[in-house]
Coordinates of all heavy atoms in Angstrom, one line a residue:
T95 N -25.1 -21.8 -59.3 CA -26.4 -22.3 -59.0 C -26.4 -23.8 -59.0 O -25.6 -24.4 -59.7 CB -27.5 -21.8 -60.0 OG1 -27.2 -22.3 -61.2 CG2 -27.6 -20.3 -60.0
G96 N -27.2 -24.4 -58.2 CA -27.3 -25.8 -58.1 C -28.6 -26.2 -57.5 O -29.6 -25.4 -57.5
N97 N -28.7 -27.5 -57.2 CA -30.0 -28.1 -56.7 C -29.9 -28.5 -55.2 O -28.9 -29.0 -54.8 CB -30.3 -29.3 -57.5 CG -30.5 -29.0 -59.0 OD1 -31.0 -27.9 -59.3 ND2 -30.2 -29.9 -59.8
I98 N -31.0 -28.2 -54.5 CA -31.2 -28.7 -53.2 C -32.3 -29.7 -53.1 O -33.4 -29.4 -53.4 CB -31.5 -27.5 -52.2 CG1 -30.3 -26.5 -52.2 CG2 -31.7 -28.1 -50.8 CD1 -30.6 -25.2 -51.4
T99 N -32.0 -31.0 -52.8 CA -33.0 -32.0 -52.8 C -33.3 -32.2 -51.3 O -32.5 -32.4 -50.5 CB -32.4 -33.3 -53.4 OG1 -32.1 -33.1 -54.8 CG2 -33.5 -34.4 -53.3
L116 N -38.4 -22.9 -49.4 CA -37.0 -22.5 -49.3 C -36.9 -21.0 -49.0 O -37.4 -20.2 -49.8 CB -36.2 -22.8 -50.6 CG -34.7 -22.4 -50.6 CD1 -33.9 -23.3 -49.7 CD2 -34.2 -22.6 -52.1
F128 N -38.4 -18.0 -51.1 CA -37.6 -17.9 -52.3 C -38.1 -18.9 -53.4 O -38.2 -18.5 -54.5 CB -36.1 -18.2 -51.9 CG -35.2 -18.1 -53.0 CD1 -34.8 -16.8 -53.5 CD2 -34.5 -19.2 -53.5 CE1 -33.9 -16.7 -54.6 CE2 -33.6 -19.1 -54.5 CZ -33.3 -17.9 -55.1
Q129 N -38.4 -20.1 -53.0 CA -38.9 -21.1 -53.9 C -39.9 -22.0 -53.0 O -39.7 -22.1 -51.8 CB -37.9 -22.0 -54.5 CG -37.1 -21.4 -55.6 CD -36.2 -22.5 -56.3 OE1 -36.5 -23.6 -56.4 NE2 -35.0 -22.0 -56.7
R130 N -40.8 -22.6 -53.7 CA -41.7 -23.6 -53.0 C -42.0 -24.7 -54.0 O -42.0 -24.6 -55.2 CB -43.0 -22.9 -52.5 CG -43.8 -22.3 -53.6 CD -45.1 -21.7 -53.1 NE -44.8 -20.6 -52.2 CZ -45.6 -19.6 -52.0 NH1 -46.7 -19.4 -52.7 NH2 -45.2 -18.6 -51.2
E131 N -42.2 -25.9 -53.3 CA -42.5 -27.1 -54.1 C -43.5 -28.0 -53.3 O -43.6 -27.8 -52.1 CB -41.2 -28.0 -54.3 CG -40.2 -27.3 -55.2 CD -40.5 -27.2 -56.6 OE1 -41.4 -28.0 -57.1 OE2 -40.0 -26.4 -57.3
I142 N -38.6 -33.5 -52.9 CA -38.6 -32.5 -54.0 C -37.2 -32.0 -54.2 O -36.3 -32.3 -53.5 CB -39.5 -31.3 -53.6 CG1 -39.0 -30.7 -52.2 CG2 -40.9 -31.7 -53.5 CD1 -38.0 -29.6 -52.4
T143 N -37.0 -31.3 -55.3 CA -35.8 -30.6 -55.6 C -36.0 -29.1 -55.9 O -36.8 -28.8 -56.8 CB -35.1 -31.3 -56.8 OG1 -34.8 -32.7 -56.4 CG2 -33.7 -30.6 -57.1
F144 N -35.3 -28.3 -55.2 CA -35.3 -26.9 -55.5 C -34.2 -26.7 -56.6 O -33.0 -27.0 -56.3 CB -35.0 -26.0 -54.3 CG -36.0 -26.1 -53.2 CD1 -35.8 -26.7 -52.0 CD2 -37.3 -25.5 -53.4 CE1 -36.8 -26.7 -51.0 CE2 -38.3 -25.5 -52.4 CZ -38.0 -26.1 -51.2
S145 N -34.5 -26.2 -57.7 CA -33.6 -26.1 -58.9 C -33.0 -24.7 -59.0 O -33.7 -23.7 -58.7 CB -34.3 -26.5 -60.1 OG -34.8 -27.8 -60.0
E146 N -31.8 -24.7 -59.6 CA -31.1 -23.4 -59.9 C -31.1 -22.4 -58.7 O -31.4 -21.2 -58.9 CB -31.8 -22.8 -61.1 CG -31.7 -23.6 -62.4 CD -32.2 -23.0 -63.6 OE1 -32.3 -21.7 -63.7 OE2 -32.6 -23.7 -64.5
V147 N -30.7 -22.9 -57.6 CA -30.6 -22.1 -56.4 C -29.2 -21.5 -56.3 O -28.2 -22.2 -56.4 CB -30.8 -22.9 -55.1 CG1 -30.7 -22.1 -53.9 CG2 -32.2 -23.6 -55.2
P148 N -29.0 -20.2 -56.2 CA -27.7 -19.6 -56.1 C -27.1 -19.9 -54.8 O -27.8 -20.2 -53.8 CB -28.0 -18.1 -56.3 CG -29.4 -17.9 -56.4 CD -30.1 -19.2 -56.3
F200 N -25.2 -23.0 -48.6 CA -25.3 -23.7 -49.8 C -24.2 -23.1 -50.8 O -24.2 -21.9 -51.0 CB -26.7 -23.6 -50.4 CG -26.8 -24.3 -51.7 CD1 -26.7 -25.6 -51.8 CD2 -27.2 -23.5 -52.9 CE1 -26.8 -26.3 -53.1 CE2 -27.3 -24.2 -54.1 CZ -27.2 -25.5 -54.2
S203 N -23.7 -25.9 -55.5 CA -23.5 -27.2 -56.2 C -24.7 -28.1 -56.0 O -25.8 -27.8 -56.5 CB -22.2 -27.9 -55.8 OG -22.2 -28.2 -54.5
E204 N -24.6 -29.1 -55.2 CA -25.7 -30.0 -54.9 C -25.7 -30.2 -53.4 O -24.7 -30.3 -52.8 CB -25.5 -31.4 -55.6 CG -25.4 -31.3 -57.1 CD -26.7 -31.0 -57.8 OE1 -27.7 -31.4 -57.3 OE2 -26.6 -30.2 -58.8

Side-chain angles (χ1 to χ4, degrees):
T95 63
N97 299 328
I98 300 173
T99 300
L116 178 67
F128 181 72
Q129 285 187 33
R130 60 178 65 145
E131 296 288 338
I142 57 89
T143 299
F144 295 112
S145 301
E146 298 183 24
V147 179
F200 179 61
S203 59
E204 301 290 321

